[in-house]
Amino acid sequence: MSVKGQDVDLTRAKQNTGVWLVKVPKYLSQQWAKASGGEVGKLKIGKAQGKTVVSFNLNEELTVVECSGEKVSSVRTPREHPFAIQAVGGQTLAVFTESPDKVALEGMVVHRAECRPAVTESYMKLKKLQIEESTKPLRLSQRLDKAVTTNYKPVSNHSHSVEYEKKKKEEGKRARADKQKVLEMLFSAFEKHQYYNIKDLVDITKQPVIYLKEILREIGVYNSKGPHKSTWELKPEYRHYEEGQEDEEKLE
Amino acid sequence: MTSLGSSSSSTTEYVVRVPKNTSKKYNIMAFNSGDKVSCSTWTQARMERDMSNRRIYGEEESTDGAGGSEFGKKQREEARRKKYGIITKEFKAEDQPWILKVNGKAGRRFKGLKKGGITENASYYIFTQCADGAFEAFPVHAWYNFTPQAKHRTLTAEEAEEEWGRRNKVVNHFSIMLQRRLREQERGEEDEEEGEKGGKKKKKKGGRGGDLRIHDLENDLEISSDESDESMGEDGEGKAKTKKDKGPKGKGKKKKNSDLEGFEDSDDGDFEGLEVDYMSDESSSEEEEPEKTKPNKGEDVPKGIDEMSDSEEESEEENKNEEEAKEEEEEEDGKKTPVQVEKKKKKDSSGESESSEDSDIEGEAASALFMVKKRTPPKRGGGRGSVGSSRTGSRPGTPSIDNAATSNTLRAAANKLEQGKRQTVVSSSETPAAKRLKMDPSPQSSSGKSTPQPVSGKSTPSSSDVQLTEDAVRRYLIRKPMTTKDLLKKFQTKRTGLSSEQTVNVLAQILKRLNPERKNINEKMHFYLTE
């Protein structure tokens, strides 16, 4: 994602560009997202009695609100949005951008502002709509006419257990293979992992449990305690793992 | 331009654009105004994500392949997590903090933590004015609060607790950090030179660390800081030297000299007067020889008494080394004087381990932690060399006989000890308590390989109270019949310093030699001897 340790482009920071940080209501940013050409409205900056008055006017075409449900285009967002300018103090805010290949410092924030909608009828209606939408529960309870009877029917033998039994029959009972072969299988298994459950070993070797246990008792040891509980592992003289701890070598 | 009706007001209109297609994401970098950050003063800045949390989230993959792994461990862990509903949050690089470095190495560092929830209810936009007078509004993607990171040294939690305990005694608070810094330098030098000055630095460490302190206590207290800071210090000697040069402010320096009697500014020859811990490493004994000359060359010559005590200690160490060597060759136990018993025992394994390590790794630093760290390479090398079989896919047909293995290790260890003996004349004088504590784990760790368990009837003592010797076994068997299990219980691994496998082997050999009589009691085979 981001390149590590990149130099920050400080060119714009050097110019001491001042920017404004403006808090904008959600519906307005939604409308702005719909703007095609890029222009969303006009900003009016003026002075009245010594104070700076800033106001934002939304473009006409963007005031149409898309709403789900019945009321189509009967509600419009307000157009006038006076800005409430605040001081930045207490924090030094800077703006930096992150692009896929670089990080650049864009400037410092000189003014903070809140974009407030002018309180009009249309705004009230819009708000009402929003509230209605938000109070709708996510889940609805529906009443059914007929009870559902199709889900759980009693069955003499479930399909998956039929398959399971068939599979078992196929496999048949496990036959004792030649001891040497079993030892070979065991050793190759223990080369991959150090600790094995008896069940897993039975799976791997396909031997009856008792027979396998006998063989295991010869070459392995059962861990009844410790971190690898109830697992089998090879006896120390048979192991030769490449760990820092276990370094017992076997002598043939 | 439209003008409103009221007087003294004029408004200008600007077009506001919201550009659509920028790949640039705008973020806010917030500083506390108290930090007095001015971006215009920055000549150079670097930013990167702080990925140090990755290992917490990305569950460590441990032990792939043979040793120590279980079959199906991953699936089992996953099933377990599902069962208990443990959901681990994934590691998102997007949400990681930023690290901002301004003006290079000497400049400031900041850490920027993401502030959550800013885009939930309202959107922030950045309004910038373009050349054509129009405004462009960019949505803010994230907000990061940047805080400056301290460049000055701070105390760790343990050290802070320590200092808190001393607050009534310590008058000069400036020297606290100074001494800590010096301690770190020394440790860093150790790392670098691999113990060339290891012993001395340890002594030095013991010496500093508090203004009005008794030596012993001081040394004891510094253990924790030693160990905690052990891993520190790539600082080369040069850096340490420069720090020393400019480091202490006038006050601190004077205080240092006045308070720490007998210690000078130079590295050389410091702290020779410190009491020695007999558990000290012999590994530094190798470097002690060149080291010995250095103290004498020190700028401010240590006081006479210090030298004397130093040589005393050295001669003691010498004696111990020789005795150690003798022990290797002969039967043990009876010869040791009670005073030296404990020391020797503790030294034995450490000595052996170190002498073996000496041959493997030159000039090791005089600390158990180094021993522990570097234990593995020599162990592996030694083990392989001694037994001589390579790790292949071949399967073990029959269990290996311990005789061969242990005799090989015995031979190897004996050789190494010879070398060690030749090299070692004296060992460093260490801070007593620190070394003692550090040595404690070492017998356990090193005994696994370095302490050879001789097959041929000699049993080497290991550092503990109970030793697995023929005499001991004989004594037990004379008193009453015992099963092998009982015997094993008597020689617990924790006390003999041997691993359970070795204990078993050695016990088996001893029993063979003794050839005790057998009796079946309660269906269990008991051994006993009649005097």
Side-chain angles (χ1 to χ4, degrees):
Chain A
M1 267 201 70
S2 62
V3 180
K4 296 288 159 281
Q6 27 185 351
D7 274 327
V8 179
D9 180 2
L10 293 171
T11 47
R12 301 209 40 199
K14 298 260 188 258
Q15 300 158 13
N16 268 333
T17 37
V19 297
W20 289 9
L21 178 68
V22 182
K23 195 182 212 181
V24 169
K26 268 271 170 191
Y27 72 88
L28 196 58
S29 60
Q30 280 165 9
Q31 299 302 101
W32 287 1
K34 282 192 264 170
S36 46
E39 181 181 318
V40 294
K42 301 234 181 342
L43 198 66
K44 281 197 213 134
I45 303 182
K47 265 197 185 311
Q49 289 102 31
K51 283 223 165 102
T52 322
V53 172
V54 183
S55 156
F56 172 74
N57 255 23
L58 191 62
N59 274 356
E60 183 73 35
E61 61 268 17
L62 289 175
T63 53
V64 183
V65 173
E66 280 178 20
C67 46
S68 59
E70 309 85 37
K71 311 183 188 121
V72 184
S73 74
S74 66
V75 182
R76 287 172 158 234
T77 66
R79 292 195 64 196
E80 278 279 331
H81 296 84
F83 276 18
I85 308 238
Q86 297 160 355
V88 184
Q91 268 188 323
T92 315
L93 298 171
V95 180
F96 73 99
T97 53
E98 198 187 332
S99 16
D101 49 347
K102 74 170 186 145
V103 173
L105 201 64
E106 298 290 334
M108 310 284 290
V109 173
V110 287
H111 283 118
R112 273 186 89 151
E114 270 180 35
C115 180
R116 300 228 169 92
V119 181
T120 56
E121 270 295 314
S122 57
Y123 180 63
M124 291 311 184
K125 285 205 199 112
L126 174 72
K127 273 295 158 189
K128 196 161 111 178
L129 198 68
Q130 274 184 1
I131 293 172
E132 277 175 9
E133 265 189 51
S134 64
T135 49
K136 271 193 223 146
L138 287 168
R139 296 160 197 258
L140 267 181
S141 305
Q142 257 187 339
R143 190 194 164 147
L144 297 172
D145 296 330
K146 284 177 72 174
V148 178
T149 52
T150 51
N151 282 354
Y152 299 105
K153 289 205 170 122
V155 158
S156 66
N157 200 0
H158 292 278
S159 59
H160 69 265
S161 42
V162 165
E163 285 168 24
Y164 183 68
E165 277 160 22
K166 229 195 314 185
K167 187 167 88 73
K168 279 285 168 140
K169 271 237 136 97
E170 243 180 86
E171 235 181 81
K173 295 226 175 189
R174 296 168 199 220
R176 296 189 175 200
D178 197 16
K179 179 157 173 182
Q180 270 307 112
K181 291 218 184 65
V182 178
L183 279 173
E184 270 179 40
M185 283 195 275
L186 282 175
F187 284 131
S188 53
F190 276 107
E191 260 169 44
K192 296 198 207 92
H193 296 273
Q194 187 176 350
Y195 302 100
Y196 277 89
N197 227 333
I198 186 69
K199 291 205 196 113
D200 299 324
L201 285 174
V202 165
D203 240 351
I204 294 172
T205 57
K206 311 241 180 299
Q207 301 294 297
V209 185
I210 310 164
Y211 181 51
L212 187 61
K213 268 201 192 160
E214 277 176 21
I215 301 180
L216 272 178
R217 249 177 246 132
E218 258 182 64
I219 58 155
V221 62
Y222 182 73
N223 283 319
S224 53
K225 305 184 247 251
H228 308 278
K229 206 155 78 95
S230 50
T231 56
W232 282 89
E233 58 174 342
L234 284 181
K235 285 197 182 148
E237 48 266 15
Y238 289 92
R239 303 184 215 148
H240 50 133
Y241 295 116
E242 275 291 314
E243 287 285 320
Q245 297 141 3
E246 298 272 1
D247 211 23
E248 321 275 347
E249 309 262 15
K250 63 124 187 134
L251 290 182
E252 187 52 74
Chain B
M1 284 267 274
T2 52
S3 47
L4 300 180
S6 57
S7 56
S8 70
S9 70
S10 57
T11 59
T12 35
E13 261 198 20
Y14 303 92
V15 175
V16 176
R17 282 197 298 266
V18 176
K20 287 258 165 189
N21 49 354
T22 45
S23 55
K24 287 207 284 190
K25 291 201 204 123
Y26 280 72
N27 304 298
I28 298 278
M29 192 190 282
F31 299 95
N32 228 338
S33 46
D35 298 331
K36 308 268 187 302
V37 177
S38 167
C39 291
S40 42
T41 60
W42 296 355
T43 51
Q44 180 231 25
R46 285 181 77 82
M47 261 181 82
E48 59 188 1
R49 291 274 184 188
D50 175 20
M51 295 293 201
S52 59
N53 291 329
R54 193 196 281 277
R55 55 186 159 73
I56 301 178
Y57 282 113
E59 293 112 26
E60 304 126 50
E61 305 294 315
S62 58
T63 62
D64 44 339
S69 73
E70 274 188 44
F71 180 79
K73 181 139 186 107
K74 269 200 194 151
Q75 291 92 329
R76 213 158 336 133
E77 284 293 322
E78 241 186 80
R80 185 175 166 274
R81 249 183 247 125
K82 266 198 188 164
K83 171 176 158 193
Y84 291 116
I86 302 170
I87 304 171
T88 43
K89 280 199 224 164
E90 51 171 87
F91 174 89
K92 287 195 217 120
E94 266 278 296
D95 296 342
Q96 297 311 304
W98 284 102
I99 300 218
L100 168 66
K101 297 177 202 162
V102 179
N103 294 339
K105 272 275 172 184
R108 297 177 84 175
R109 275 192 87 185
F110 296 91
K111 183 160 182 182
L113 296 156
K114 189 169 186 180
K115 178 165 142 172
I118 60 149
T119 45
E120 272 168 14
N121 298 320
S123 350
Y124 281 96
Y125 277 79
I126 297 284
F127 276 53
T128 47
Q129 193 160 33
C130 301
D132 60 352
F135 277 87
E136 281 196 338
F138 302 98
V140 166
H141 187 250
W143 184 299
Y144 293 91
N145 288 322
F146 279 77
T147 49
Q149 283 191 315
K151 299 207 94 180
H152 55 270
R153 302 274 195 180
T154 52
L155 298 177
T156 65
E158 296 97 13
E159 290 174 339
E161 298 239 1
E162 225 183 276
E163 296 297 334
W164 176 255
R166 299 193 217 156
R167 70 192 189 282
N168 292 323
K169 296 192 206 153
V170 172
V171 177
N172 178 22
H173 293 279
F174 291 106
S175 66
I176 293 174
M177 290 311 291
L178 159 70
Q179 284 159 10
R180 182 174 184 267
R181 209 175 299 134
L182 289 169
R183 243 179 274 146
E184 288 167 6
Q185 286 164 30
E186 289 149 12
R187 248 169 264 125
E189 287 175 28
E190 276 179 19
D191 272 340
E192 270 278 316
E193 306 166 16
E194 292 195 347
E196 177 58 38
K197 295 186 175 189
K200 285 195 292 204
K201 293 302 177 280
K202 286 284 177 180
K203 288 185 245 171
K204 190 178 217 167
K205 213 185 323 182
R208 307 211 186 275
D211 293 333
L212 313 166
R213 317 223 84 233
I214 311 169
H215 273 312
D216 284 346
L217 186 56
E218 199 176 318
N219 297 336
D220 279 335
L221 279 182
E222 267 158 14
I223 296 151
S224 59
S225 56
D226 288 357
E227 297 190 340
S228 64
D229 286 330
E230 190 56 51
S231 48
M232 265 198 61
E234 309 305 315
D235 301 337
E237 186 168 6
K239 190 173 176 198
K241 283 256 160 68
T242 55
K243 275 211 164 169
K244 276 174 88 91
D245 291 334
K246 48 172 164 133
K249 322 261 191 293
K251 195 190 287 188
K253 189 161 197 166
K254 271 187 254 149
K255 197 72 184 176
K256 180 173 79 176
N257 284 340
S258 60
D259 283 350
L260 308 170
E261 187 183 349
F263 301 118
E264 310 75 41
D265 288 343
S266 69
D267 306 351
D268 303 330
D270 281 341
F271 307 99
E272 289 177 342
L274 275 199
E275 295 163 271
V276 185
D277 180 21
Y278 299 116
M279 303 339 137
S280 57
D281 288 344
E282 277 81 7
S283 70
S284 47
S285 56
E286 179 184 329
E287 312 95 33
E288 274 314 299
E289 274 190 324
E291 204 177 21
K292 250 178 63 168
T293 57
K294 279 190 114 183
N296 298 335
K297 287 189 213 142
E299 298 157 33
D300 301 318
V301 181
K303 307 235 165 56
I305 265 195
D306 293 346
E307 272 182 304
M308 255 180 47
S309 54
D310 190 35
S311 55
E312 258 180 25
E313 294 146 3
E314 294 172 350
S315 57
E316 276 176 1
E317 307 284 3
E318 245 181 293
N319 291 341
K320 278 197 214 87
N321 277 342
E322 285 169 13
E323 290 188 11
E324 245 183 58
K326 266 191 275 169
E327 265 184 18
E328 276 296 324
E329 264 65 68
E330 330 163 347
E331 301 274 326
E332 32 46 57
D333 269 8
K335 298 185 183 74
K336 289 187 283 208
T337 64
V339 174
Q340 288 178 322
V341 163
E342 208 201 349
K343 290 183 232 144
K344 185 184 301 239
K345 282 183 204 157
K346 294 221 169 122
K347 263 185 116 181
D348 284 340
S349 45
S350 59
E352 286 152 13
S353 64
E354 277 145 39
S355 45
S356 59
E357 283 165 6
D358 278 350
S359 53
D360 287 355
I361 296 168
E362 285 287 337
E364 218 174 82
S367 77
L369 277 163
F370 283 115
M371 269 172 53
V372 171
K373 261 193 243 165
K374 296 179 181 168
R375 177 173 44 97
T376 30
K379 242 187 142 188
R380 208 184 304 140
R384 196 159 297 144
S386 63
V387 183
S389 52
S390 54
R391 190 218 186 294
T392 57
S394 65
R395 277 167 282 109
T398 51
S400 69
I401 315 296
D402 294 315
N403 282 327
T406 50
S407 58
N408 281 338
T409 50
L410 168 62
R411 236 175 283 135
N415 285 341
K416 284 171 189 162
L417 197 66
E418 278 299 313
Q419 293 172 22
K421 217 177 72 168
R422 263 178 259 128
Q423 290 161 355
T424 69
V425 179
V426 290
S427 55
S428 65
S429 28
E430 303 292 341
T431 60
K435 285 304 132 206
R436 196 176 301 135
L437 282 174
K438 283 188 190 168
M439 281 307 148
D440 271 342
S442 76
Q444 313 292 339
S445 52
S446 51
S447 66
K449 179 240 161 204
S450 327
T451 318
Q453 294 303 310
V455 184
S456 44
K458 312 170 205 154
S459 22
T460 31
S462 20
S463 57
S464 67
D465 309 320
V466 176
Q467 306 206 346
L468 182 50
T469 64
E470 200 177 320
D471 280 346
V473 175
R474 183 178 293 145
R475 258 185 288 123
Y476 288 127
L477 293 181
I478 287 177
R479 275 187 34 218
K480 81 168 200 174
M482 300 180 74
T483 63
T484 47
K485 254 195 181 161
D486 295 338
L487 281 171
L488 278 171
K489 268 196 223 145
K490 291 286 184 189
F491 301 107
Q492 283 174 359
T493 59
K494 288 203 181 114
R495 303 180 80 200
T496 63
L498 308 168
S499 76
S500 52
E501 297 148 7
Q502 284 173 325
T503 320
V504 169
N505 294 337
V506 176
L507 193 61
Q509 277 125 34
I510 294 178
L511 286 176
K512 259 189 238 157
R513 282 200 302 275
L514 288 179
N515 208 2
E517 302 183 25
R518 298 153 189 243
K519 190 159 67 165
N520 245 330
I521 304 177
N522 293 339
E523 297 169 353
K524 289 215 184 98
M525 178 72 61
H526 284 66
F527 297 111
Y528 68 97
L529 282 170
T530 48
E531 190 38 50

